[in-house]
Amino acid sequence: MLTVAVTGATGAQGGATARALLSSGHQVRALTRDPNSPAADALRGLGADVRHADFDDRASLDTALAGADSLFAVTTPFEADTATEIRQGKALVDAASTARLGHVVLTSAAHADRDTGIPHYDSKRLIEQHLRATGLPWTVIAPAAFMDNYASGWTLDGLRDGTFAWPMPTDRPLTLIPADDIGAFAALALQRRDEFTGRRIDIASDERTPGQIAEILAAAIGRPIAHQEVPLSYVRTWSADLAAMFEYFTTSGLDVDVARLHRDYPEVGWHSFTDWTVGQDWSALLAPAPARH
């Protein structure tokens, strides 16, 4: 049985990893800035040891990691910026090095080890490089585009109007993965340390075009959905970072060998995009907004 510290435990990837480890009988230290949040309470109810940890408070990281076997590390630029992500990611890696952990699994992004020109991919590449330089046993898992984003934000707003608004051509394939599969793969890597140490693996569960995604969403939701290509110029007015990402998706593409992953790691229980849509509660998500008086 492992004792694994999980950062971002109340978020999508960390939460999925924590649940996968707990279901396999391992001890999970769920690290979060807010141990009293509903998400933290839910993990505590599943048997996790919820502990306070803040990337900007090195002492809290040292305390949270002391005595753990392994670490699942996730960083984000979207709570602040990429400079903050780099600083916090390096601080987490340094704390893991001080704690002399036996294995660190870092979740990054597919193709982040390439010259993509995407700011939040470049920040992850720097954190990957810092991890490798420590000499710690490491694994980098690098997820493709998140399926979970199709049930939130501007995508959800469009679906309410019968439109799948996405900044890519209708026929351009994109590799996809849900958070649950990221967590299952991370748990696999943590449990099979000898097999995965020193490896960087791009991961995805399915590959679909925006046109196919619209059709699958329509079938799951039970109403007509049509893909509408959002101009990159519009995305750029909101985020140059995200515009660069979608431009890369369209030009270079986010290729991942999905068939090989399914063949080599069937225990992950990979979910197709259809599987994922069927598992969502679209009736609640797409309910009409209450009238304002």
Side-chain angles (χ1 to χ4, degrees):
M1 181 174 64
L2 297 171
T3 297
V4 183
V6 177
T7 60
T10 56
Q13 295 189 67
T17 301
R19 291 190 297 272
L21 288 166
L22 288 166
S23 68
S24 296
H26 299 286
Q27 293 184 340
V28 170
R29 289 186 189 173
L31 309 189
T32 175
R33 286 177 300 182
D34 184 4
N36 298 313
S37 70
D41 287 340
L43 286 172
R44 197 176 284 112
L46 294 174
D49 175 12
V50 179
R51 299 194 181 189
H52 172 261
D54 188 326
F55 287 168
D56 288 320
D57 179 358
R58 175 60 189 270
S60 74
L61 293 176
D62 290 338
T63 300
L65 297 180
D69 298 310
S70 307
L71 168 68
F72 173 77
V74 59
T75 63
T76 178
F78 298 118
E79 292 182 0
D81 51 35
T82 54
T84 300
E85 179 183 24
I86 295 166
R87 186 188 73 249
Q88 292 180 339
K90 288 183 175 180
L92 177 61
V93 167
D94 289 344
S97 181
T98 298
R100 297 182 179 180
L101 297 185
H103 191 200
V104 176
V105 173
L106 172 68
T107 181
S108 180
H111 291 207
D113 56 338
R114 310 183 190 187
D115 186 16
T116 64
I118 305 167
H120 76 276
Y121 282 38
D122 291 343
S123 57
K124 288 176 170 55
R125 178 168 60 174
L126 291 173
I127 297 167
E128 290 183 34
Q129 292 171 347
H130 191 71
L131 173 60
R132 289 195 292 270
T134 64
L136 285 168
W138 61 269
T139 303
V140 173
I141 64 172
F146 295 168
M147 293 182 190
D148 307 75
N149 289 340
Y150 297 124
S152 63
W154 81 51
T155 306
L156 183 58
D157 292 339
L159 293 178
R160 289 193 175 100
D161 297 325
T163 299
F164 172 54
W166 201 246
M168 289 178 63
T170 298
D171 59 353
R172 188 68 168 100
L174 179 65
T175 47
L176 308 164
I177 189 168
D180 283 347
D181 289 2
I182 299 171
F185 196 91
L188 184 70
L190 287 157
Q191 293 172 94
R192 286 157 50 175
R193 177 184 308 180
D194 292 345
E195 176 183 345
F196 283 93
T197 292
R199 298 177 62 191
R200 186 190 191 283
I201 308 172
D202 286 346
I203 58 174
S205 306
D206 200 359
E207 183 175 47
R208 296 289 177 179
T209 67
Q212 292 170 333
I213 289 170
E215 292 175 359
I216 293 168
L217 287 169
I221 295 169
R223 66 174 67 173
I225 301 290
H227 170 244
Q228 178 182 353
E229 183 175 356
V230 178
L232 285 176
S233 58
Y234 178 77
V235 180
R236 201 168 286 115
T237 64
W238 292 96
S239 170
D241 191 337
L242 292 181
M245 181 183 74
F246 284 114
E247 184 174 15
Y248 183 85
F249 287 175
T250 297
T251 54
S252 298
L254 201 62
D255 63 289
V256 180
D257 193 341
V258 173
R260 182 175 180 178
L261 288 164
H262 284 215
R263 183 182 70 243
D264 291 351
Y265 308 108
E267 53 271 78
V268 170
W270 305 97
H271 293 80
S272 69
F273 187 67
T274 299
D275 295 335
W276 177 81
T277 60
V278 169
Q280 305 305 302
D281 184 2
W282 297 107
S283 62
L285 289 170
L286 295 175
R292 295 181 178 180
H293 299 286

